[in-house]
Amino acid sequence: MSAPDHSDRSEPSQAAAKAAEPSGVDLARVALRAAKEAARARGDAAQQRKQARRGGLRSGARADGRDPMAFGAAINRLINERGWEAPAVVGGVMGRWPEIVGEDVANHCDPEKYDEEERVLTVRCDSTAWATNLRLLAPTLVARLNQDLGHGTITLIKVLGPQGPVRRYGPLRAPGSTGPGDTYG
């Protein structure tokens, strides 16, 4: 008998550690955001030195850092600071769903959610026939969405069929019963 090899146990934990670290495009986004913030800070410092030479802060007709920010600019700044670019772009796709997939498919299939970690878009269809049709179209749709959003934004489209009706239990129910399904096996 040989001693158990413990090297196999460390591989999944190393893979999990690598998956948790940002890589590739994510690192580039973080570096770009940091460079933009540093450039903005240098510009703000130069502006403050210029104002100090003129005798301090003055109110005037021209825009300066104390003016209120437009709502759209504030939202864009928040999205960039928090790193929500991908979810915001996918949210735009959900708003443009009929344009992307066509009116016929959009009438029967609706995007429900986007999982950023898994990069999976979940779509619910109103019938099993449309769910099957969308499953067949999924690779083409993933390619089209990635062309529009950027490579690797969506790796998979999870297609769900229609939801069944909610089971309601009446006032008369046998103790320990699990509902109508327990009678039929």
Side-chain angles (χ1 to χ4, degrees), residues 8-44:
D8 293 340
R9 292 184 186 167
S10 64
E11 287 179 24
S13 63
Q14 288 175 353
K18 286 181 183 177
E21 296 176 9
S23 63
V25 176
D26 296 329
L27 284 175
R29 284 185 185 141
V30 170
L32 178 64
R33 192 175 308 119
K36 284 182 179 180
E37 289 174 7
R40 188 178 302 120
R42 284 193 306 270
D44 290 344

Side-chain angles (χ1 to χ4, degrees), residues 65-100:
R66 300 173 297 151
D67 289 341
M69 187 180 283
F71 184 72
I75 293 296
N76 287 336
R77 181 176 170 187
L78 180 68
I79 287 171
N80 289 333
E81 285 175 354
R82 303 285 172 116
W84 294 339
E85 290 93 358
V89 170
V90 173
V93 165
M94 291 184 179
R96 296 181 299 125
W97 184 251
E99 296 171 19
I100 294 170

Side-chain angles (χ1 to χ4, degrees), residues 46-70:
Q47 182 72 17
Q48 288 175 357
R49 284 192 303 270
K50 185 177 173 183
Q51 287 176 347
R53 278 183 269 153
R54 284 192 284 159
L57 292 175
R58 295 184 191 169
S59 179
R62 294 193 179 113
D64 63 4
R66 300 173 297 151
D67 289 341
M69 187 180 283

Side-chain angles (χ1 to χ4, degrees), residues 16-162:
K18 286 181 183 177
E21 296 176 9
S23 63
V25 176
D26 296 329
L27 284 175
R29 284 185 185 141
V30 170
L32 178 64
R33 192 175 308 119
K36 284 182 179 180
E37 289 174 7
R40 188 178 302 120
R42 284 193 306 270
D44 290 344
Q47 182 72 17
Q48 288 175 357
R49 284 192 303 270
K50 185 177 173 183
Q51 287 176 347
R53 278 183 269 153
R54 284 192 284 159
L57 292 175
R58 295 184 191 169
S59 179
R62 294 193 179 113
D64 63 4
R66 300 173 297 151
D67 289 341
M69 187 180 283
F71 184 72
I75 293 296
N76 287 336
R77 181 176 170 187
L78 180 68
I79 287 171
N80 289 333
E81 285 175 354
R82 303 285 172 116
W84 294 339
E85 290 93 358
V89 170
V90 173
V93 165
M94 291 184 179
R96 296 181 299 125
W97 184 251
E99 296 171 19
I100 294 170
V101 298
E103 288 293 326
D104 199 27
V105 174
N107 288 336
H108 299 282
C109 305
D110 296 318
E112 277 193 351
K113 66 180 179 177
Y114 174 68
D115 184 5
E116 185 178 6
E117 292 176 13
E118 306 268 334
R119 298 178 189 250
V120 174
L121 178 66
T122 304
V123 178
R124 175 145 332 254
C125 298
D126 61 1
S127 70
T128 55
W130 277 103
T132 303
N133 187 21
L134 195 64
R135 283 186 190 103
L136 294 172
L137 291 174
T140 307
L141 193 55
V142 167
R144 186 183 309 166
L145 289 169
N146 282 331
Q147 182 181 9
D148 192 32
L149 303 174
H151 182 68
T153 305
I154 296 176
T155 57
L156 178 71
I157 294 181
K158 184 177 179 181
V159 181
L160 304 176

